[in-house]
Amino acid sequence: VQFVESGGGLVQPGGSLRLSCAASGFFFSIYTMGWYQQAPGKQRELAARISGGGRTNYTNSVKGRFTISRDNAKNTVYLQMNSLKPEDTAVYYCNRVDNEASWGQGTQVTVSS
């Protein structure tokens, strides 16, 4: 099982980024996938999740600003991040929500003016 996250970067407050996560090594379409945030000095936390059928759920801090989606044909999950805030600064990872596999390297998102 492997996850390769990409799309992070430095963005000003109010800006947008789109993260991608390419998954391999398992039957992607049947798993609920999640995007996790790990802010500096904090534990990794689940920010958004999407079921195999496309049902989504968000933590309160990102609700209304972030959108998770997936393309089962491409084994890829996305995170559209809008109206970014400095407190969104974190390394972002993807993984299966249930039966977590080994973590990828993540992608750094820095929101700063």
Side-chain angles (χ1 to χ4, degrees):
V1 176
Q2 187 176 20
F3 304 106
V4 179
E5 300 93 347
S6 62
L10 173 63
V11 62
Q12 292 187 342
S16 298
L17 284 173
R18 188 191 194 211
L19 307 184
S20 299
C21 169
S24 61
F26 65 101
F27 195 9
F28 177 81
S29 64
I30 68 171
Y31 282 90
T32 295
M33 294 297 298
W35 278 100
Y36 297 76
Q37 295 171 307
Q38 187 165 21
K42 296 187 177 181
Q43 289 190 333
R44 189 156 37 204
E45 298 181 337
L46 181 62
R49 60 190 288 168
I50 183 167
S51 70
R55 185 179 304 172
T56 60
N57 190 265
Y58 301 90
T59 192
N60 285 340
S61 62
V62 308
K63 196 174 296 183
R65 300 187 298 120
F66 291 9
T67 303
I68 188 171
S69 61
R70 66 191 296 160
D71 185 337
N72 288 336
K74 296 182 178 180
N75 286 7
T76 301
V77 60
Y78 304 97
L79 188 67
Q80 179 66 45
M81 311 166 69
N82 297 330
S83 302
L84 282 160
K85 304 176 181 180
E87 51 264 43
D88 296 320
T89 295
V91 180
Y92 286 74
Y93 302 87
C94 69
N95 209 319
R96 302 184 303 207
V97 173
D98 302 308
N99 193 13
E100 287 178 359
S102 298
W103 295 91
Q105 293 196 342
T107 187
Q108 174 72 48
V109 172
T110 303
V111 185
S112 175
S113 55

